[in-house]
Amino acid sequence: MFAARAALMKSSAVWTPVTYQAVGTGGRTTGGTTASMSTSWTHNCSSSGATTVVIAAVAFGGADTGGFLGDVSCTYGGVAMTAMGAKYGYDVSDQQGYVWFFYMVNPPTGSQTVQADWASGDLKRVIMGNSVSYTGFGSFGTRVNAQGTPTLPSVSLTGANLPTNSMGIAMAVHNSTLTGSNRTQRHLTGATTSSYADYFAIQDVVGDGTTKSFTHTGTSQRWSSIAVPILPV
């Protein structure tokens, strides 16, 4: 009887869905400098615990052909977040169009400052970021990277990688204008100047065991994107 009850409890836990909680205010800093550059914003988690996760999406790019000397880090409430794999970009030689996820499990509740810092060493052009928090978090699935030119951002998570009650989150940086997303749009911002255009988007979708694509509308140009499944408890 106890074994059957334990199995039932475990089965119930497996089906706890990953649920969207909150999105941050977002930040964007531009300039042409080899000194350090940062951008910050605020995020408010209404609950915490081992099944709450906050994910910071950071996009950044420069105009240096001398190699990527500086690197990006991210803090939440002054505490270092964990980088999810390596940065990914569409033009390594020019340091353009990089995207990177950072995360923190069991973040503090209340309004917190999220800050992305780009170390000195490169000619920096722009750094942008925002954060999204979820409850029901158990683990992350396999991250997927994609890039292209001159098209619009598109990346997919397979059904095997995005089971029922999971959540897929994707971010994209685009070297021209983005106007919309095909999934639930959590963030879309950008600006065009006389010398460059950079748009940055975050979207998510509830998993159901089928392949989910993340696409955008806008003007075709160079882009890079990453997506990751958030798996349930």
Side-chain angles (χ1 to χ4, degrees):
M1 180 178 69
F2 291 110
R5 182 178 299 174
L8 178 61
M9 292 175 64
K10 182 178 180 180
S11 176
S12 299
V14 167
W15 295 106
T16 301
V18 177
T19 304
Y20 164 80
Q21 185 192 69
V23 65
T25 57
R28 176 186 174 90
T29 302
T30 61
T33 177
T34 56
S36 59
M37 178 186 286
S38 65
T39 193
S40 62
W41 62 94
T42 58
H43 190 103
N44 193 330
C45 287
S46 58
S47 64
S48 191
T51 60
T52 298
V53 65
V54 60
I55 300 171
V58 181
F60 53 105
D64 184 12
T65 58
F68 202 91
L69 305 177
D71 226 335
V72 170
S73 60
C74 198
T75 58
Y76 188 90
V79 179
M81 302 182 78
T82 301
M84 192 184 299
K87 58 183 176 287
Y88 179 76
Y90 60 69
D91 193 338
V92 176
S93 64
D94 284 340
Q95 310 304 321
Q96 297 180 17
Y98 276 99
V99 284
W100 213 346
F101 277 138
F102 297 82
Y103 70 94
M104 178 181 287
V105 179
N106 191 16
T109 57
S111 181
Q112 305 288 333
T113 298
V114 190
Q115 182 163 315
D117 295 298
W118 192 349
S120 60
D122 301 296
L123 179 59
K124 300 165 182 64
R125 186 176 66 179
V126 60
I127 181 168
M128 305 171 282
N130 205 354
S131 48
V132 189
S133 54
Y134 300 89
T135 59
F137 166 77
S139 62
F140 290 112
T142 302
R143 194 185 82 172
V144 176
N145 308 322
Q147 61 175 299
T149 184
T151 53
L152 284 162
S154 178
V155 65
S156 297
L157 293 173
T158 66
N161 207 18
L162 198 61
T164 298
N165 290 325
S166 65
M167 181 79 71
I169 182 172
M171 66 177 296
V173 64
H174 188 57
N175 206 34
S176 190
T177 303
L178 292 178
T179 57
S181 308
N182 71 319
R183 303 300 179 182
T184 301
Q185 186 173 286
R186 301 301 181 187
H187 181 89
L188 194 158
T189 190
T192 303
T193 72
S194 59
S195 59
Y196 66 87
D198 280 290
Y199 275 71
F200 165 57
I202 307 170
Q203 54 181 320
D204 60 20
V205 65
V206 175
D208 60 7
T210 63
T211 297
K212 303 292 184 183
S213 62
F214 300 86
T215 61
H216 297 273
T217 54
T219 304
S220 294
Q221 247 298 353
R222 295 180 296 178
W223 58 271
S224 56
S225 183
I226 55 177
V228 66
I230 307 169
L231 303 178
V233 177

